[in-house]
Amino acid sequence: MKRSVAGLFTKLRLDDILNPVLEYPKNRHRYQVLVYHKVSPDPHPFFQPTPPGEFERQVLFLKEHYRVMDLEELVDRSARGSIPRNAVAITFDDGYRDNYDFAFPILRKHGIPATIFLTTSALDNQQKLWHDHVFDSFRFATKRDPSLTLEDVIRRAKGMRAQERSGYVMKVTDMLAPEIPEPFKAPMLSWNQVIEMKKSGIAFGSHTCTHPILAREKQTDVIRELVESRSEIRERTGNDALLLAYPNGLKNDFSDEVVEAARKTGYKCAFTMITGPNSTGTHPYKLKRGQPWQTDPSIFRFVFFLQRHFG
């Protein structure tokens, strides 16, 4: 049923008709931020990427029907109350190498800006992100333990502070004894790739150093994560990272104390993973992002419209 409704919606191009009506005058000062993580043909069973062909179709849809803008410019325009109609921005979290291999050529081909929020400790494959350790342990396990399920491990790990989580994840890894194929051992961007993308107009923000759930951490550790990640991006790229994306980014993953830390450490704004549009009145450190995860183009277009106006 949803597929047939979405197909009719797309066939009649109802978003082209309804967007101007719904955005004027009450909702015209609003914008939408999409978030991606991985763009890859790898059929990951636990952390599904957006296939490159589907990503390109989504980019072309946005380019045709919306105004895709640089995120920081859009934030500045919002603060001045001058958001262009149909404004959207594209972001990526974590800093996976496939952003360079697959997403970047598509963005460059179509002249589309984007912002990548980097988890700086993982770049140059110095340190695999904790959730990737978990995913890889289950995906490439050589041993099975009926007491372990992926959902339970991720849930428990998210509730821990960084030091406790690290020990727990290593324990799970030892129990599952994964044998990771060589192509999957180095999943992150290099700083050289970051600099190359920067020269072609890709922007970079902070996603902390080690991807902790900030609401679980001591305030001193939160500040260290925010300061050090921003400092390294500035030193490596020559540009200050004034935009922050909270790791995980749902309601319980950041707090008023985390928001205050972001403000005090000099970030212009911060983004969550709470779905919906932003407007001139949205709290600058609680900005929303989302993405229709559907790969069917009609459903993607339909859900994107719903998120824009009713998310």
Side-chain angles (χ1 to χ4, degrees):
M1 179 65 178
K2 185 176 182 180
R3 184 180 300 272
S4 61
V5 171
L8 182 62
F9 178 90
T10 301
K11 183 177 181 180
L12 297 177
R13 303 175 74 90
L14 290 179
D15 46 350
D16 288 341
I17 298 169
L18 293 174
N19 271 333
V21 175
L22 291 172
E23 293 191 356
Y24 185 86
K26 180 181 178 181
N27 295 327
R28 61 182 174 178
H29 296 303
R30 59 166 52 196
Y31 64 95
Q32 198 166 357
V33 181
L34 279 84
V35 56
Y36 295 88
H37 288 82
K38 300 168 72 68
V39 175
S40 169
D42 171 38
H44 198 301
F46 309 127
F47 193 2
Q48 290 187 348
T50 303
E54 183 56 39
F55 178 69
E56 184 163 24
R57 284 189 288 272
Q58 292 172 9
V59 165
L60 287 171
F61 159 68
L62 295 171
K63 183 177 181 180
E64 180 180 357
H65 298 281
Y66 294 86
R67 181 172 175 178
V68 187
M69 298 181 62
D70 172 77
L71 183 61
E72 188 167 357
E73 179 187 355
L74 193 44
V75 167
D76 290 342
R77 292 282 294 268
S78 177
R80 299 196 301 268
S82 61
I83 303 171
R85 190 171 72 83
N86 280 349
V88 301
I90 294 173
T91 67
F92 298 82
D93 279 3
D94 298 330
Y96 289 104
R97 188 186 63 212
D98 58 43
N99 294 179
Y100 174 83
D101 292 337
F102 299 104
F104 174 50
I106 293 168
L107 295 167
R108 182 171 53 186
K109 173 183 174 182
H110 298 292
I112 297 296
T115 297
I116 301 177
F117 289 102
L118 300 172
T119 308
T120 53
S121 70
L123 268 67
D124 285 330
N125 297 292
Q126 297 178 77
Q127 180 178 318
K128 186 174 286 189
L129 299 178
W130 69 263
H131 53 263
D132 286 323
H133 268 296
V134 175
F135 292 142
D136 286 351
S137 294
F138 278 89
R139 185 178 186 181
F140 300 113
T142 61
K143 298 179 180 178
R144 299 293 173 184
D145 189 318
S147 69
L148 293 177
T149 67
L150 177 63
E151 294 77 12
D152 285 344
V153 169
I154 291 291
R155 178 182 53 78
R156 288 188 63 187
K158 284 182 177 180
M160 298 175 179
R161 286 184 173 173
Q163 187 172 2
E164 181 186 9
R165 182 189 306 115
S166 178
Y168 174 63
V169 169
M170 290 302 101
K171 179 181 177 181
V172 169
T173 300
D174 290 342
M175 292 172 70
L176 295 174
E179 292 183 0
I180 302 173
E182 197 63 36
F184 297 95
K185 290 183 178 179
M188 307 309 290
L189 289 169
S190 70
W191 283 109
N192 286 337
Q193 290 167 339
V194 167
I195 291 167
E196 181 183 343
M197 288 191 285
K198 173 181 170 287
K199 291 177 180 177
S200 293
I202 303 299
F204 296 91
S206 168
H207 202 41
T208 73
C209 292
T210 65
H211 206 282
I213 306 300
L214 292 173
R216 314 285 190 274
E217 302 298 323
K218 297 177 181 178
Q219 192 72 345
T220 53
D221 292 330
V222 171
I223 291 172
R224 177 183 54 79
E225 287 276 347
L226 301 186
V227 169
E228 291 184 5
S229 60
R230 182 182 171 197
S231 176
E232 184 162 16
I233 294 170
R234 181 171 57 246
E235 290 173 7
R236 296 279 193 166
T237 69
N239 283 11
D240 203 356
L242 297 174
L243 310 185
L244 170 70
Y246 302 122
N248 214 51
L250 297 177
K251 184 178 179 181
N252 293 326
D253 300 323
F254 62 97
S255 62
D256 291 342
E257 290 76 16
V258 170
V259 166
E260 181 62 12
R263 187 191 67 80
K264 282 186 174 180
T265 53
Y267 287 94
K268 181 182 295 185
C269 63
F271 290 85
T272 71
M273 283 285 286
I274 299 170
T275 300
N278 299 296
S279 68
T280 53
T282 305
H283 194 297
Y285 297 94
K286 299 179 182 180
L287 294 170
K288 298 176 181 180
R289 294 186 299 164
Q291 183 205 358
W293 298 106
Q294 294 81 6
T295 56
D296 181 285
S298 296
I299 299 178
F300 176 91
R301 181 170 180 164
F302 180 56
V303 175
F304 183 83
F305 174 84
L306 293 178
Q307 289 182 356
R308 183 173 187 84
H309 296 290
F310 308 107

